[in-house]
Amino acid sequence: MRRVYYLQSLIFIFIFLGILIMANLFAQQYHLRFDLTKEKRYTLSPQTVNVLKNLKTKVKVIGFFSSGSEREKAKDLLEQYRYHSRKFNYTFIDPDRHPLEAKKYNVTRYNTIVVESGEKREQIYEITEEKLTNAIVRVTRPERKVIYFLKGHGEYDIDNRGKIGYSRLKTALTDKGYIVKSLLLAKEAEIPKDAKLLVIAGPNKPLLSAEIKVIKDYIDRGGQVLFLLNPETGEELKDLLKEKGIILDDDMIVDKMSRLFGGDYLIPVIIKYNKNHPVTKDFNLVCFLPLARSIKIKKDLPKEIKAEILAWTSENAWGETDLKALKAGKALFDRKDIKGPVPVAVASWKEGENGFRIAVIGDADFLSNSYFQASGNGDFGLNLISWLTEEENLIAIPPKEIKSTPLVLSHSQGKVIFYLPVVVWPLLMLIVGIVVYFRRRKL
C-alpha cells in the first residue's frame, strides 16, 4: 500500500513539473503586455509599431552605456521595440570596459545608441521613440541617396586619408547609407539626375562661370547644395548666394575665447545655436572652425525664400576685416569689424514647386580628418547633410506628456494604511495561531 502511495506521489510530482515547464515554454513564446499607466508611457506609437511589423531585414541596436538611469531608460524603450518584432534585437556595451568595441563602432561619447542593419549604421544620442524609429527607417530603406562632392578647384578630397582629406566624412556618410561620389563639373553639362546633394568643400580656385550656371540651374530645379567656403575664397559665388538670401563677408573671425580651449585665436569656438531650426534645435555641442569667415542673411528677402542663421561664435569674437593687419599680427577690433557673436552658418530654402535647400558655412576645415572628431564638428556636419537631403525627420512622433500624480492622504487615512498591515493583520494572525494551538492540545 505504501509503495502505491509513493508511486502516486512521484507521478504527481512529474506531472506538476511538466506543467511548470510547459507553462514556462508557452510564456516565452506567447506573452502579453499591458500598459496600465494613464499616459501610456510604455506603449509605442502606431507609426513605430507599423515600422516594426514591416521590417524586412534584421535590425540590431547596440547601446553604449555605463550603468545608470539613462541605461535603464534606454532598456525600457528597447524592450518595447523587441516585443513588437522578432527582427529587432538589442544589446548593451560598457564603453569603459570594452573600449575596442566602442572604437569598432566609432563611438566617442557615453549614452550612444548604434542602429545597424546590414551594412548601414547610424548613431543617435537622444533616447526618444522618434529618434530611434527614424534611425530604423533610414538603415532599413533599400534605396540609397547619392551625394556628389565637387572637385577640380582644389576642394577637399573625399578619398584623401591625410589630415586635410575628407575620408572620415565619407566613411560616416557611407555608414549612414549614402552613396558618396566625386564630380568633375567641367565634364558635365548638368548636375547628375541622381544627385540628392552637391557639396562644394573649400575650393581654393575660382569656379568657371559655366560651372556656376550649372549649379544655379540645379538649385532652381529644386536641388540641394552645401557650400563650405574658407575666407578669401568664393568671390565668384557671391551673386548666386546673394540671390538665395546669403551674404559672404570678406573677413576672418578672431576669437580670444578659443585660448580657453587650448586653441589658436583664429579657431573660433561655436557655442550658440538656432533652437528653432531642424539642424540645430537639439544640438548643444561645442564646435571649432579653424580659419572661418562670417556669413549673413540678406535683407529684404523675396517672400518665397526663407533664411536663418544656424550658429554663432561667442560674444568675445569678432570678424576682422583688415586681413593685412591680421596676417601681420596687428589685428584689433574697430568699427569696421563685425562684432560678436559672429554668425558662421546660414541655411536658405524655398518650399513648394522647385523648392531648394542650401547651407553655407564660413569654413571647410572643420570637417577635414584633423577636426572631424573634435567635439561636435562631425555631428554638426552630419546634421546639416541630413537636413539638406531631407532625412532630418522622416516620422514625427510627439513626446508623451508625463504628468505627476502624487497620492495625497489625510492624517486618518495615513494611520489606517500604517496600522492595518503593520499591527492589525500580524496581531490577528498571532491570535488565530494561539487559538488553534490550544484547541489542538485539547484533542
Side-chain angles (χ1 to χ4, degrees):
M1 191 67 185
R2 182 173 292 180
R3 191 174 290 177
V4 174
Y5 174 74
Y6 286 143
L7 184 60
Q8 285 181 339
S9 299
L10 195 61
I11 292 172
F12 286 142
I13 289 172
F14 276 116
I15 292 174
F16 179 70
L17 290 176
I19 292 173
L20 282 181
I21 293 171
M22 291 300 294
N24 189 42
L25 291 174
F26 188 80
Q28 285 184 352
Q29 295 294 322
Y30 307 98
H31 55 281
L32 295 174
R33 294 164 57 102
F34 298 96
D35 186 356
L36 302 179
T37 58
K38 185 178 179 181
E39 304 88 0
K40 298 298 176 187
R41 66 178 68 177
Y42 300 109
T43 300
L44 297 177
S45 67
Q47 299 99 310
T48 296
V49 173
N50 187 48
V51 168
L52 292 170
K53 288 187 179 299
N54 290 290
L55 282 179
K56 305 294 183 189
T57 57
K58 291 184 178 179
V59 173
K60 181 182 177 184
V61 169
I62 306 111
F64 288 87
F65 292 79
S66 54
S67 58
S69 59
E70 289 297 303
R71 186 183 187 279
E72 293 306 312
K73 179 183 173 184
K75 185 180 178 183
D76 286 343
L77 182 62
L78 294 171
E79 193 58 41
Q80 295 175 55
Y81 277 67
R82 184 160 66 178
Y83 172 73
H84 287 283
S85 177
R86 292 176 183 272
K87 293 185 177 178
F88 182 93
N89 207 349
Y90 72 89
T91 186
F92 284 101
I93 293 175
D94 187 336
D96 291 327
R97 300 178 66 180
H98 303 281
L100 291 179
E101 287 294 309
K103 186 177 180 181
K104 174 184 172 184
Y105 288 96
N106 201 26
V107 172
T108 57
R109 66 170 92 165
Y110 292 103
N111 304 341
T112 297
I113 286 180
V114 177
V115 183
E116 186 178 52
S117 180
E119 296 180 351
K120 296 182 183 177
R121 187 183 297 166
E122 177 143 346
Q123 294 185 8
I124 58 174
Y125 312 106
E126 192 179 349
I127 310 164
T128 66
E129 183 185 345
E130 182 178 88
K131 296 284 185 186
L132 183 55
T133 301
N134 279 302
I136 292 172
V137 171
R138 283 192 283 269
V139 299
T140 56
R141 214 168 29 188
E143 74 271 17
R144 302 177 68 185
K145 295 182 177 179
V146 182
I147 298 176
Y148 284 94
F149 280 73
L150 190 67
K151 69 175 186 179
H153 315 86
E155 292 90 349
Y156 291 71
D157 186 357
I158 56 174
D159 294 317
N160 186 343
R161 296 182 178 277
K163 291 183 178 180
I164 59 170
Y166 264 32
S167 62
R168 285 186 173 177
L169 174 60
K170 180 183 179 182
T171 300
L173 292 173
T174 304
D175 285 346
K176 289 171 75 70
Y178 293 104
I179 296 173
V180 182
K181 296 180 179 180
S182 296
L183 176 66
L184 187 59
L185 203 52
K187 293 183 177 179
E188 308 286 344
E190 62 178 12
I191 304 296
K193 295 191 183 302
D194 63 346
K196 190 60 185 175
L197 173 66
L198 174 66
V199 180
I200 302 175
N204 56 36
K205 299 291 182 185
L207 276 68
L208 302 174
S209 56
E211 294 173 316
I212 295 173
K213 184 178 183 307
V214 170
I215 295 170
K216 181 179 181 304
D217 290 343
Y218 170 65
I219 295 173
D220 290 340
R221 292 198 309 271
Q224 289 83 30
V225 183
L226 173 59
F227 295 89
L228 305 170
L229 301 174
N230 290 324
E232 301 182 271
T233 65
E235 184 69 26
E236 73 283 5
L237 294 168
K238 282 186 174 180
D239 289 342
L240 169 62
L241 295 176
K242 190 174 181 180
E243 185 181 310
K244 306 305 177 189
I246 300 172
I247 303 291
L248 289 180
D249 283 326
D250 295 319
D251 63 348
M252 190 176 294
I253 299 172
V254 180
D255 188 358
K256 292 183 177 178
M257 186 178 174
S258 57
R259 289 286 190 187
L260 300 176
F261 293 86
D264 189 271
Y265 62 88
L266 291 181
I267 305 179
V269 182
I270 311 305
I271 57 172
K272 182 182 176 185
Y273 299 98
N274 183 340
K275 294 303 178 186
N276 296 315
H277 195 276
V279 173
T280 47
K281 69 176 182 180
D282 297 319
F283 195 79
N284 53 16
L285 296 173
V286 171
C287 290
F288 300 92
L289 273 61
L291 300 178
R293 72 197 304 170
S294 62
I295 310 289
K296 288 189 297 195
I297 296 176
K298 179 191 169 189
K299 295 179 181 177
D300 303 324
L301 283 173
K303 287 184 180 180
E304 68 273 16
I305 294 178
K306 298 178 182 177
E308 290 187 17
I309 295 172
L310 301 178
W312 294 262
T313 67
S314 70
E315 294 182 351
N316 297 320
W318 76 88
E320 178 59 56
T321 55
D322 189 350
L323 299 183
K324 189 177 293 184
L326 180 63
K327 290 174 183 175
K330 299 176 181 177
L332 291 173
F333 178 73
D334 58 38
R335 291 181 180 179
K336 296 179 182 177
D337 296 331
I338 299 168
K339 188 180 178 183
V342 183
V344 294
V346 171
S348 169
W349 68 96
K350 174 188 166 188
E351 295 175 347
E353 187 178 1
N354 294 327
F356 64 82
R357 290 186 178 190
I358 63 175
V360 182
I361 316 300
D363 178 51
D365 293 304
F366 80 105
L367 287 179
S368 66
N369 294 338
S370 294
Y371 295 97
F372 185 77
Q373 290 187 323
S375 189
N377 282 19
D379 297 321
F380 182 52
L382 294 174
N383 278 7
L384 277 167
I385 290 173
S386 290
W387 176 73
L388 287 165
T389 55
E390 302 177 72
E391 293 271 337
E392 80 280 8
N393 197 14
L394 296 173
I395 296 176
I397 301 171
K400 293 185 174 71
E401 185 180 357
I402 308 299
K403 295 181 180 177
S404 175
T405 52
L407 177 63
V408 180
L409 299 175
S410 64
H411 184 66
S412 56
Q413 289 172 328
K415 280 186 173 180
V416 170
I417 288 179
F418 173 76
Y419 284 111
L420 197 64
V422 176
V423 179
V424 176
W425 285 114
L427 188 60
L428 187 61
M429 295 301 294
L430 181 63
I431 292 172
V432 170
I434 292 172
V435 170
V436 170
Y437 173 75
F438 282 107
R439 288 191 64 181
R440 284 187 174 179
R441 288 194 64 180
K442 290 178 181 178
L443 294 176

